[in-house]
Amino acid sequence: SPRQREFARRMIDAGANLVVGSHPHVTQGADMYRGVPIVYSLGNFVFNGFDTEATTTGWLLEASLSRRGVERWRIRVVRLDADGSPRPDADARAPCGKRGDVQVQQCQGE
């Protein structure tokens, strides 16, 4: 939402090197602002009781950090099984980026 986008950007303007959200039980995309990654929601990771594709998909965030901030980052997609346990989806594309990127890239999992 515009409110989330504004809040994330204000956090970066205040000095954050990475902004990561969670809670709504669904993934919500990623963005870059001033070269800093924003992940709006990682979705569910270990959670049962949901049965839609949106609520049984989660993201793992992998980030390489240095004193300068985030050097590179990528998201790995997981699918939750009937017990709510995550299983990697190596074929899924997900957001990723590196220092100096002005846009989020789409990378394939491994």
Side-chain angles (χ1 to χ4, degrees):
S1 72
R3 183 174 178 228
Q4 283 180 293
R5 186 172 294 111
E6 176 63 25
F7 182 67
R9 291 177 176 197
R10 288 180 69 195
M11 304 255 297
I12 292 167
D13 288 341
N17 290 308
L18 175 65
V19 177
V20 181
S22 64
H23 180 69
H25 299 288
V26 294
T27 61
Q28 288 189 323
D31 198 0
M32 298 284 282
Y33 174 69
R34 295 188 174 182
V36 176
I38 301 167
V39 180
Y40 291 102
S41 176
L42 296 172
N44 288 325
F45 180 66
V46 176
F47 204 97
N48 63 0
F50 290 119
D51 60 2
T52 67
E53 183 177 354
T55 56
T56 58
T57 299
W59 287 349
L60 289 171
L61 175 63
E62 180 181 308
S64 297
L65 310 173
S66 75
R67 291 184 186 272
R68 298 182 325 161
V70 177
E71 295 294 332
R72 67 188 158 275
W73 61 279
R74 72 176 302 144
I75 289 173
R76 311 278 183 176
V77 177
V78 296
R79 309 288 181 193
L80 305 182
D81 65 19
D83 294 322
S85 298
R87 304 282 182 240
D89 183 345
D91 296 326
R93 291 192 167 276
C96 65
K98 63 183 177 186
R99 187 176 251 321
D101 281 355
V102 292
Q103 292 184 339
V104 173
Q105 308 295 313
Q106 290 292 312
C107 297
Q108 190 160 346
E110 297 173 355

